[in-house]
Each structure stands twice: as structure tokens, then as C-alpha cells.
Amino acid sequence: MIVPSLLPLFLLVALSSLTYATSDYHESLTLQPLPQSSLLASFNFRSNASQESFDERNFRHFPRALGQILQHAHTKELHLRFTTGRWDAESWGSRPWNGVKEGNTGVELWAWIDAADDQEAFAKWISLTQSLSGLFCASLNFIDSTRTTRPVASFALAGDHSASSNLHLLHGTLPGEVVCTENLTPFLKLLPCKGKAGVASLLDGHKLFDASWQSMSVDVRPVCSRPDDCLVQIEQTVDIVLDLERSKRPRDNPIPRPVPNEQLACDTSKPYHSDDTCYPLEKTSEGGWSLSEIFGRTVSGVCPLGDSQSSEETICLRVPDERGVAVSEGTVETRKPDGFTRCYTLQGSNAFDLVMPEQEATTHVPLDEPVLRAERTIVGHGVERGGMRIIFDNPSDTDAVDFMYFETLPWFLRPYVHTLQATVTGRDGVRRQVPTSQLIRETFYRPAIDRERGTQLELALSVPAASSVTLTYDFEKAILRYTEYPPDANRGFNVAPAVIKLGRHENPIYMRTTSLLLPLPTPDFSMPYNVIILTSTVIALAFGSIFNLLVRRFVSAEEAAALTSQTLKGRLAGKIVAIRDRIKGKSAKVE
């Protein structure tokens, strides 16, 4: 029998248990060898919290620091990216997660904010960027109105939101931001185990930021199975492409050294082969590696704060079935029917290591070919004007590709949209210029306002099959005030990469071009220094001479002695001299 006075306590415990029942934590790691002795490692961490517990700030797996920021800024959906390097689509195939978890070079942020109007949404956006700047030790506070855009069709909601929500989408990017361990440390602190256990224990800043390509993402969105049953989900991912040879170098001796002569594999059939000339043979075997070699540590068991199913198939490896793999004792292996995937279930707190010995490669994991290839460069010469060239290549021989193209330009780059031209090149190499209306179905253009906002351009494009399309337009470079130049002005100004969205809302594919460097007219900053020094010297000389003429009085030595004796100081000195002479005279008489 339950005492009536204890009934509210039991109800509270029951409600808490129901709230926590909908919360879980899951983590996984997928490893896939890539051509050119590379390895793709994709870390995924997912935490859920019920909408009720999130609104009441009753956090368990969801990070409290981030949750309070989202509530303060009324942010309903958040997407944050930290990316360095360039994805080599020609060698590595399509992007992981279809590019959904990838961002622009540097830092990219977009969010849906609940606000009554655009002005209120922008005020909350500034509060969000400043708070995230402190949380992730990044320069997100520099995302002001000149770096903020409002995309129309390039980004879609990933979560389940009510139709009555008054949401505003804002997007900002910092292409010049340097991603380093200062951003990795707060990223790991958002995890339940803080990187001390589970697959997150492999993440080391020295290895992570020595990769050929690296991307970290944070996604927060609501997920609803029913209108009255919603979760707030945070998903964190880390995708890196490691150079195996470079990653296996010991940390205490990382300098590469040439291979000894006796270890060189040379093609002796070449006529110029000799003791001092070697043509290397192409390796037919795949090099060996292990987790402890490339990451410098092993997996520290399973995160104990995860649910009961979080340890099932935690680590997956995509290699052919005939490839030999050695794992730690007690690990359960599960092979998928595709013939290329095997997953491993970790056991408690036992350390896990995976070793792949060197072996002859007979088959390889097929890589998906990208649906579209894009290239964006700045053309022209001079410091006054220039041009932008974007090349889209469709590798398909049968199907055309429809996509959205979105780019944001700084206000000091002024494009001439009326100069936009399109050229189509077939597989036969014949180039023909076509009207832009044949390729561009829709256009959204928001011009820039000097020192207030940048240029926003969104195009709905279609590239014919087995063809490449080249878009070009001219632009003008603005002259900045000398106080607006950075310390490294001669390096150039960063232009954010363009975003390409393919496919439908359910399964979109995202691509990013590389960032650009824009040289602007740069003054000679040594001239102001020279002018200031010369002017200060002249003023000092002139002021000193005039001051001496106005204040000082030039007299002869005799007049100076007479004037000195008439002053109070002179009379006191005379009295002292007289007293001294009188004392000396008396002492002489006594002797």
C-alpha cells in the first residue's frame, strides 16, 4: 500500500523513468581503406533526449552546455561544421554520408531560429554565434551581417517541426578559420564519456589534424514518431582520411627517411637498371596497419554510459571477405551479406585493437562514383576587375543532373550578373555557347550592400548527360579603407566555397567546392609609417626651437652671474659662503 503523502514522489520517479527511457546513446566507427594508401575513418556519436526533459533542462546524455545555448537563442535546429583539407573525389569516390555531414573549408554554421520577424531572428543569431564561439573556442563571433545569408532553396529542415513554427534560416561561414585541437577538446567534452572510453578514445589531436582531409560536425534536430512523442537528437561525427604511411611514423621520430637500398623493389627489366638507378615496381599488395599504429592507441572498451545495445557492432570494417584481419581476444565478429563489411562487438572495458597484415590484393571494395564534379576558380588579371569560372562535369552518359548551386560572396567582390555566360562541352571536345535560360531554371539573387551584407546567388541548374557546363561572370573589386585590411593583406581575402545540393529532400547529396583567395588592391603600408616618422621628427625640431626662443633668455656670462646673485637662490648661496668663510677665519686665528 502506498502512503498518500508519498504518492507525488512515486509519480515523479515514474515520470523520470519514462523520460530517461526515451534517452539513449550510441556510437560507431567505420573504417574503409582507400586508394593511394589512405584510410577513411568515420566516427558517429548519437544522443537522444525527450522533448519534455529538454524543455525542463533535465539533461542526461544531451550536453547541458549546448542545450542551454539552444534554449536561450530559441534555436530549433542546428548544424555546425569544422573542416580542413580537400576531398579527392577522383581517387576516393563519393563523399561520406553523401556530403550531408561535410562543411565548407573552415567553419560553417546554419540554424533555424524561432522568431517573430527577421530583425529578432538576427539578434538571436548573433547571440547564438557568440555563445558557440565560447563553447567551441572558435571565431564564430566574427560571423556578422556581412557574413550572414538567408538561403532560399539550398538547405532544408532535417527534423520534424510543427507547421505553425515561425522558423528563420540563417547561414554563416568563416573560410579562413584554422581548425585545431582547441576545437576538438570541447567537441569531445560534449560526449557522455568525454573521449575517455569507447571509440572516441582513438581521437588524438596529433593524428586527427595530420590527416589529408578532416571534418567534424554537430547536428541537433527534433525527431518525432508521433506529434506527441518527440525527441531532441544530437549527432556528432568525425570523418578523417589518413595517410597510412605518414600516420605510422613514430611520434618521437616523425621525419621521413629514404628506404635503404636493400629494401627497394626495382624493375630489373628496365635497360637503365643498375646499382645506382632504380625504377620502383608498383606494389600489388596492400600495406599492413593497425589501430594502435595509425591512432597511437587502442580503443578503451565501451562507453559505460551508453544503452545496452550501444556496444553491438560498434566498429565496422569494409574490406573483402578474403582479407585477413586480426582482432583482440573475445571480440565477436559479424559479417554482412554484401561480402565487404564485417562488424565487431566490443566486450566491456577490454581494450580493442585491429590488425591488418600486409596481403596481396585480389579484389577491392567498389567505390561509388560522384554524381557530379565541380570546380570553381578566379580568372583574369589585375587588381581592379576579375572573373569567376565554375565548371560542372556530368559523368553519366544517359541522365542529366539537376541541382541547386549556392554561393555567397563578400561585399567587396561585386559581381556583374548581366555578364553571366554558359558554355557546354561534349565528350567530343566541341564547345558551344548556349543561352543561360537553357541551363538555369530558377535564379535568386540578393545584391550586396557595402559593409552591411554580402552577395547571395542561388541557381537551379541542369547539366546534360555526358557534358560539362562552364559558367563565367565578371566582377569588380572594391577598395577598402586602410583600417579594414588584415595584418596579412598581401595573402589575399578568403572567399567561401560554393554549396551544391543534388537530389530530393529525403536523400539529398551535398558537395562543396574549394575556397578561393581574392587579391585586392593593397596600399603600401610602409608609407604611412614613413610619413608619421618624418612628420613627427619635423614637428619635434620645430617645436623645440620655437619653445626655446619663447621661454629661454639668452644673456652673457657676466650678466648671468649678476642676475643669479639677485635671486633668492643667489642670496642664500651668498649667505652660506659668507658663513663658511667666517668659520674658516676663526679656526685660522685659534691655530
Side-chain angles (χ1 to χ4, degrees):
M1 181 177 180
I2 300 177
V3 182
S5 61
L6 297 179
L7 185 59
L9 179 61
F10 279 91
L11 290 176
L12 180 61
V13 173
L15 290 175
S16 301
S17 62
L18 290 175
T19 300
Y20 286 148
T22 58
S23 303
D24 65 340
Y25 170 71
H26 178 75
E27 61 181 17
S28 63
L29 169 62
T30 303
L31 302 170
Q32 179 176 350
L34 297 176
Q36 300 179 355
S37 186
S38 299
L39 175 69
L40 171 63
S42 297
F43 297 80
N44 180 261
F45 312 94
R46 186 181 67 250
S47 301
N48 295 331
S50 66
Q51 186 67 51
E52 181 182 358
S53 63
F54 181 83
D55 295 337
E56 296 176 354
R57 299 187 178 183
N58 188 9
F59 302 103
R60 187 187 182 192
H61 292 140
F62 198 96
R64 177 182 298 273
L66 182 59
Q68 292 177 346
I69 291 175
L70 299 179
Q71 291 178 347
H72 176 73
H74 296 269
T75 303
K76 301 303 180 182
E77 187 169 322
L78 172 74
H79 302 276
L80 179 61
R81 304 287 185 267
F82 299 90
T83 307
T84 57
R86 171 183 171 271
W87 178 266
D88 188 0
E90 295 183 0
S91 302
W92 302 337
S94 59
R95 289 165 166 79
W97 312 98
N98 287 331
V100 176
K101 305 296 183 182
E102 181 186 350
N104 290 343
T105 303
V107 178
E108 184 181 7
L109 170 68
W110 69 96
W112 277 266
I113 297 177
D114 188 6
D117 51 22
D118 292 343
Q119 186 176 2
E120 181 183 354
F122 182 74
K124 294 179 179 178
W125 167 258
I126 295 299
S127 175
L128 174 66
T129 56
Q130 292 178 351
S131 301
L132 293 177
S133 175
L135 179 63
F136 289 97
C137 298
S139 303
L140 290 167
N141 56 311
F142 286 95
I143 298 181
D144 53 7
S145 61
T146 61
R147 294 181 173 91
T148 301
T149 55
R150 300 174 183 268
V152 177
S154 300
F155 297 93
L157 288 166
D160 302 322
H161 301 269
S162 60
S164 60
S165 300
N166 191 11
L167 300 180
H168 297 259
L169 171 61
L170 293 99
H171 176 273
T173 180
L174 292 173
E177 180 75 5
V178 179
V179 184
C180 60
T181 54
E182 292 180 348
N183 313 119
L184 176 63
T185 301
F187 181 90
L188 294 177
K189 288 184 178 180
L190 298 180
L191 300 175
C193 289
K194 315 297 182 185
K196 303 298 182 181
V199 296
S201 59
L202 291 177
L203 294 175
D204 178 36
H206 297 86
K207 298 291 185 178
L208 180 64
F209 296 105
D210 191 39
S212 303
W213 177 83
Q214 172 268 330
S215 177
M216 297 189 302
S217 68
V218 178
D219 298 286
V220 181
R221 63 190 182 102
V223 179
C224 300
S225 58
R226 298 189 306 272
D228 57 344
D229 185 13
C230 293
L231 299 174
V232 179
Q233 183 181 95
I234 176 174
E235 189 171 4
Q236 299 174 243
T237 61
V238 178
D239 299 299
I240 55 177
V241 176
L242 297 169
D243 187 333
L244 293 177
E245 298 300 327
R246 188 168 70 243
S247 299
K248 289 191 294 185
R249 296 173 190 164
R251 185 180 298 181
D252 55 350
N253 190 14
I255 301 176
R257 288 175 171 79
V259 180
N261 293 337
E262 59 273 9
Q263 298 181 9
L264 290 174
C266 303
D267 188 357
T268 58
S269 63
K270 299 295 181 181
Y272 48 79
H273 174 74
S274 62
D275 294 337
D276 57 352
T277 305
C278 175
Y279 184 83
L281 284 173
E282 184 178 357
K283 294 183 63 175
T284 58
S285 62
E286 294 184 357
W289 54 271
S290 65
L291 291 180
S292 56
E293 281 184 325
I294 60 177
F295 289 102
R297 59 186 71 175
T298 58
V299 180
S300 300
V302 182
C303 178
L305 298 180
D307 56 4
S308 59
Q309 298 179 353
S310 62
S311 60
E312 296 183 3
E313 300 184 356
T314 304
I315 299 179
C316 293
L317 177 66
R318 286 186 53 80
V319 292
D321 283 345
E322 61 268 16
R323 187 73 162 89
V325 179
V327 295
S328 300
E329 185 178 357
T331 305
V332 180
E333 179 183 278
T334 304
R335 299 202 178 194
K336 302 297 182 180
D338 60 358
F340 295 102
T341 306
R342 60 185 78 180
C343 297
Y344 302 95
T345 301
L346 307 186
Q347 301 295 328
S349 59
N350 298 333
F352 173 82
D353 195 8
L354 184 147
V355 180
M356 292 189 62
E358 186 174 354
Q359 183 177 339
E360 292 290 333
T362 57
T363 59
H364 299 277
V365 178
L367 299 176
D368 297 332
E369 186 178 2
V371 181
L372 181 73
R373 298 188 182 96
E375 179 185 349
R376 179 168 171 250
T377 55
I378 293 178
V379 296
H381 60 277
V383 296
E384 184 180 0
R385 292 182 176 86
M388 192 75 71
R389 180 179 62 191
I390 310 102
I391 301 176
F392 305 102
D393 181 53
N394 183 4
S396 176
D397 295 330
T398 57
D399 300 327
V401 178
D402 299 331
F403 59 93
M404 290 296 304
Y405 176 80
F406 167 72
E407 70 175 4
T408 172
L409 304 174
W411 64 266
F412 45 79
L413 192 154
R414 300 165 179 168
Y416 296 137
V417 183
H418 71 279
T419 63
L420 182 64
Q421 297 180 354
T423 304
V424 178
T425 305
R427 291 290 182 264
D428 53 1
V430 178
R431 303 182 60 184
R432 54 188 178 89
Q433 189 169 351
V434 299
T436 56
S437 58
Q438 293 185 8
L439 304 175
I440 301 176
R441 294 179 284 106
E442 295 181 10
T443 302
F444 178 82
Y445 172 69
R446 179 181 286 128
I449 300 177
D450 287 356
R451 298 175 179 85
E452 291 187 15
R453 74 181 185 198
T455 302
Q456 178 180 339
L457 178 63
E458 287 187 83
L459 303 175
L461 286 165
S462 178
V463 178
S467 303
S468 63
V469 173
T470 303
L471 297 180
T472 59
Y473 62 83
D474 300 332
F475 61 79
E476 182 185 20
K477 305 175 185 179
I479 299 178
L480 305 181
R481 300 166 183 164
Y482 82 95
T483 56
E484 295 174 338
Y485 286 91
D488 54 347
N490 291 297
R491 171 183 174 271
F493 290 76
N494 293 289
V495 179
V499 181
I500 300 173
K501 177 188 176 184
L502 304 95
R504 299 180 179 179
H505 170 63
E506 293 79 10
N507 298 306
I509 300 175
Y510 280 94
M511 297 173 54
R512 264 82 172 177
T513 62
T514 56
S515 58
L516 303 176
L517 275 179
L518 176 68
L520 289 181
T522 305
D524 185 2
F525 289 101
S526 65
M527 291 306 296
Y529 173 78
N530 297 335
V531 171
I532 292 172
I533 293 300
L534 179 61
T535 305
S536 301
T537 304
V538 172
I539 291 177
L541 293 175
F543 176 79
S545 302
I546 296 174
F547 182 81
N548 289 334
L549 291 175
L550 294 177
V551 176
R552 293 187 178 183
R553 180 181 177 186
F554 297 92
V555 296
S556 61
E558 294 79 4
E559 293 177 344
L563 292 174
T564 303
S565 62
Q566 296 177 3
T567 60
L568 178 61
K569 181 179 179 181
R571 290 196 296 269
L572 291 176
K575 294 285 186 182
I576 294 173
V577 172
I579 294 173
R580 185 189 61 186
D581 294 342
R582 187 179 302 173
I583 294 174
K584 286 184 178 180
K586 290 182 178 180
S587 61
K589 291 180 180 180
V590 172
E591 293 177 357

